[in-house]
Structures are given as C-alpha cells and as structure tokens.
Amino acid sequence: MTLAQLLADYGYLAVFCGTVLEGESILLLAGFAAHQGYLSWPLVVLLALCGGTLGDQLFFWLGRRYNTALLRRLPAGEQRAEQVNRLLLRYDAGVIIGVRFMYGLRVIGPIVIGMSRVPAWRFVCFNLLGAAIWAPLIAGTGFLFGQSLQWLFADLKRYQETALLAAIALLIVGKLLLRWRQRRRSDHIRVDE
C-alpha cells in the first residue's frame, strides 16, 4: 500500500480523530499533505474545526461531571489547574479561545474550565470561535511549509547547474593550489639542502 493510498483511505479520519485529542502535529501534517494534493485543504480545516470543537467539549463535560476526581488522575493536573483557574478569573473568554494554543493545557484546560463556574453556553460559543481560529491557522502553517519547500527546491533546481559548475571550479582551483604549495615546499627543501 502506498502513502497516497493510505492518505486517501485514512487521512481524513486521522485528521478528525487526531484533532479530537491533541491535534497540532496531525493537523500540520494534514496541511502539508493538502499542499501536496493528497488531501483537500478546506476539508482538512472543516474536519479539524469539528474535531477540535468536539474534543474540547468532551473534556469540558468530563470536567463538569467528574470534577476533581478526574484531575487527580492526570499527571501534573492540579498544578496546571491552578494556572488555568487564575487565568479564568480574569480572562475567561480569552482562556477558552486560547487554551488550545497553550502547550500542556490543551486537554487539561477544558477539563478545568468544565470544573469552573463558566456557563456551558459560554464555553460552547468561545470554544467554537477558538477552533475556527486554530484549525485554519495550524493547517495553513503545514500548507505554507509545503509551499516553502516547493520554492526552495524550485530555486535549487534552477541554480543546480551553476552550483555544480562552481563546485567543479572550486575543486580544480583547490587541486591547483595544493600542487603549487607542494612544489613550493619541495623547492624550499631543495634550496635548504
């Protein structure tokens, strides 16, 4: 089975499932695959938007339902919960939108927000807005990475002959310099004798 076939068969499913959980790495790769023509960029963004929103909603409701019992099971959960709670008191809308961009808080953040007094409807609205910013931004970064590689290699191809000629010229000049130096040394040694 080829990579193209794997992407055609499972690429969109991987984007959706990956974005339900964490998502950045899979979404960057999906953006790159979209640039290469293996996946549709609009569909990647749509699936990431849905998966990211659904995942955070799920974690929010888990936090609302299981509260601190769930938090105790997560490594370093209580420390990160304090961070999120401090931020929530001052900037709840910004935290809900931005938690998906904060390293180490992507899963624990919605759980802690679910444990807080933030109304569910407020979380739904700002979570959707955050996902609508996040999905095209991360997928677009992967897409632009693919575009940058294409430009880089296109430029390398254009200058390949020139670079090859320059490398050959440097080798010839280097050999001539080595021979000249060896002759000079041997002449210097003869004079000393």
Side-chain angles (χ1 to χ4, degrees):
M1 186 172 268
T2 65
L3 176 64
Q5 187 62 43
L6 275 172
L7 285 171
D9 291 346
Y10 303 107
Y12 295 116
L13 179 64
V15 169
F16 181 75
C17 293
T19 55
V20 166
L21 298 172
E22 287 274 348
E24 285 79 15
S25 300
I26 195 99
L27 192 50
L28 281 168
L29 290 172
F32 180 74
H35 177 269
Q36 300 302 312
Y38 294 115
L39 300 174
S40 161
W41 193 79
L43 192 51
V44 164
V45 171
L46 179 65
L47 287 170
L49 170 73
C50 294
T53 302
L54 180 67
D56 284 3
Q57 286 302 139
L58 174 70
F59 293 126
F60 174 85
W61 289 110
L62 285 172
R64 185 76 27 122
R65 169 79 171 93
Y66 294 105
N67 220 319
T68 56
L70 179 62
L71 197 58
R72 281 188 224 115
R73 292 178 177 249
L74 298 171
E78 291 175 348
Q79 288 175 338
R80 291 193 177 139
E82 289 175 23
Q83 275 181 299
V84 174
N85 276 325
R86 270 186 269 130
L87 290 170
L88 269 176
L89 291 174
R90 298 179 75 188
Y91 317 102
D92 69 335
V95 171
I96 296 168
I97 292 169
V99 77
R100 69 183 66 250
F101 294 99
M102 297 177 198
Y103 181 76
L105 297 177
R106 175 70 200 278
V107 172
I108 198 84
I111 291 171
V112 173
I113 296 168
M115 293 167 38
S116 73
R117 293 184 181 181
V118 171
W121 66 267
R122 187 168 175 82
F123 182 79
V124 169
C125 293
F126 286 114
N127 181 39
L128 187 57
L129 179 60
I133 295 167
W134 173 79
L137 183 68
I138 303 300
T141 301
F143 192 92
L144 288 175
F145 177 72
Q147 184 66 43
S148 299
L149 284 179
Q150 183 178 349
W151 285 334
L152 175 67
F153 288 119
D155 284 346
L156 286 177
K157 264 188 172 176
R158 186 177 346 152
Y159 299 114
Q160 187 174 9
E161 288 179 22
T162 306
L164 183 60
L165 290 174
I168 291 170
L170 282 173
L171 282 173
I172 292 170
V173 169
K175 281 196 172 209
L176 291 174
L177 284 174
L178 279 174
R179 284 187 184 167
W180 174 77
R181 189 170 186 219
Q182 286 173 344
R183 282 188 188 157
R184 192 168 166 207
R185 272 192 178 168
S186 64
D187 288 345
H188 185 69
I189 292 173
R190 281 190 221 147
V191 171
D192 289 343
E193 294 175 351

